[in-house]
Amino acid sequence: DIVMTQSPDSLAVSLGERATINCKASQSVLSSSNNKNYLAWYQQRPGQPPKLLIYWASTRDSGVPGRFSGSGSGTDFSLTISSLEAEDVAIYYCQQYYNNPQTFGQGTKLEIK
Amino acid sequence: QLQLQESGPGLVKPSETLSLTCSVSGGSVSNNNDFWGWIRQSPGKGLEWIGSISNSGQTYYNPSLKSRLTLSLDTSKNQFSLKLTFVTAADTAVYYCVRVVPMNYDVLTGIDDFWGQGTLVTVSS
């Protein structure tokens, strides 16, 4: 299985400031056939199911605010929130869908400082 | 708007079978473009992909659960289901049903763009 490791485990950021979460895959999730990274990001607010934010490492899902962006390639990826809002308090997960079984990172808890 | 809702017992005895159903509204499980899947979340193991099924009945099971797992589709009821046999305390988790948008047909993987609210299943005598 591809192991996904996120850092940090938790993060406290002031409102309006930038938050960055990292995700590292144990092997590359970049396809040589289409040059796409099979990497998604999800947000899980308290008491809610996860919500898809980003796929193909950098494509925002419909309705996701522009302050969320994804970057990276191969084995190293990042999710950035450019200006933190109170509603962004959540746990964030990366997921690879390059190979079976699909696997998730352990999660990064984002809080307000 | 697509909606998914899990249903089933919240308590299952060890060694028995866990059975869950996901009812889909606002869309059809017969849609050729979609797969339907299950994911579980427990404090000890985080988010774990269980498996998925296509509208034609093609399935993928997580190898760690394959020997105990069966997924099925009921197009007449617009539902899909999960059966997990010989459960233990390690199977205690919140179980989510999801719609899977296929992204890699070679290995039947994709992104999970719609989720049910989840149902807690506890395995205990």
Side-chain angles (χ1 to χ4, degrees), chain B residues 70-89:
Chain B
T70 303
L71 301 187
S72 60
L73 202 68
D74 187 338
T75 55
S76 67
K77 294 182 179 179
N78 213 29
Q79 295 176 336
F80 59 103
S81 299
L82 170 156
K83 288 189 189 299
L84 186 66
T85 60
F86 302 106
V87 296
T88 69

Side-chain angles (χ1 to χ4, degrees), chain B residues 58-122:
Chain B
Q58 184 180 18
T59 55
Y60 168 75
Y61 297 154
N62 190 318
S64 68
L65 300 169
K66 187 174 183 177
S67 63
R68 301 190 291 130
L69 182 64
T70 303
L71 301 187
S72 60
L73 202 68
D74 187 338
T75 55
S76 67
K77 294 182 179 179
N78 213 29
Q79 295 176 336
F80 59 103
S81 299
L82 170 156
K83 288 189 189 299
L84 186 66
T85 60
F86 302 106
V87 296
T88 69
D91 296 309
T92 294
V94 175
Y95 285 75
Y96 295 100
C97 58
V98 297
R99 183 180 80 168
V100 185
V101 178
M103 304 298 246
N104 187 343
Y105 284 91
D106 290 340
V107 291
L108 300 178
T109 60
I111 55 175
D112 314 304
D113 65 343
F114 284 92
W115 297 60
Q117 283 299 306
T119 187
L120 174 63
V121 178
T122 301

Side-chain angles (χ1 to χ4, degrees), chain A residues 35-80:
Chain A
N35 202 36
K36 288 188 172 184
N37 289 283
Y38 287 63
L39 190 285
W41 288 96
Y42 295 82
Q43 174 195 63
Q44 187 175 28
R45 293 184 173 124
Q48 295 294 315
K51 172 190 171 185
L52 176 66
L53 292 177
I54 286 171
Y55 56 97
W56 296 135
S58 61
T59 301
R60 277 190 300 274
D61 194 28
S62 175
V64 174
R67 64 181 181 274
F68 289 91
S69 64
S71 63
S73 184
T75 61
D76 293 285
F77 300 91
S78 295
L79 173 71
T80 298

Side-chain angles (χ1 to χ4, degrees), chain A residues 2-8 21-26 29 38-44 50-55 57 70-71 75-79 91-97 102-108, chain B residues 46-48 111-112 115:
Chain A
I2 297 177
V3 177
M4 308 299 290
T5 304
Q6 293 180 226
S7 61
I21 297 168
N22 301 303
C23 175
K24 188 174 186 65
S26 62
V29 298
Y38 287 63
L39 190 285
W41 288 96
Y42 295 82
Q43 174 195 63
Q44 187 175 28
K51 172 190 171 185
L52 176 66
L53 292 177
I54 286 171
Y55 56 97
S71 63
T75 61
D76 293 285
F77 300 91
S78 295
L79 173 71
I91 300 175
Y92 292 84
Y93 297 93
C94 59
Q95 177 206 40
Q96 65 80 19
Y97 49 98
Q102 298 173 192
T103 48
F104 293 87
Q106 82 277 16
T108 294
Chain B
L47 288 164
E48 182 180 25
I111 55 175
D112 314 304
W115 297 60

Side-chain angles (χ1 to χ4, degrees), chain A residues 13-18 83-87 89 111-113:
Chain A
V13 174
S14 300
L15 291 171
E17 295 299 305
R18 177 186 298 260
S83 179
L84 191 70
E85 298 192 7
E87 66 180 17
V89 168
E111 299 173 310
I112 306 294
K113 184 186 292 184

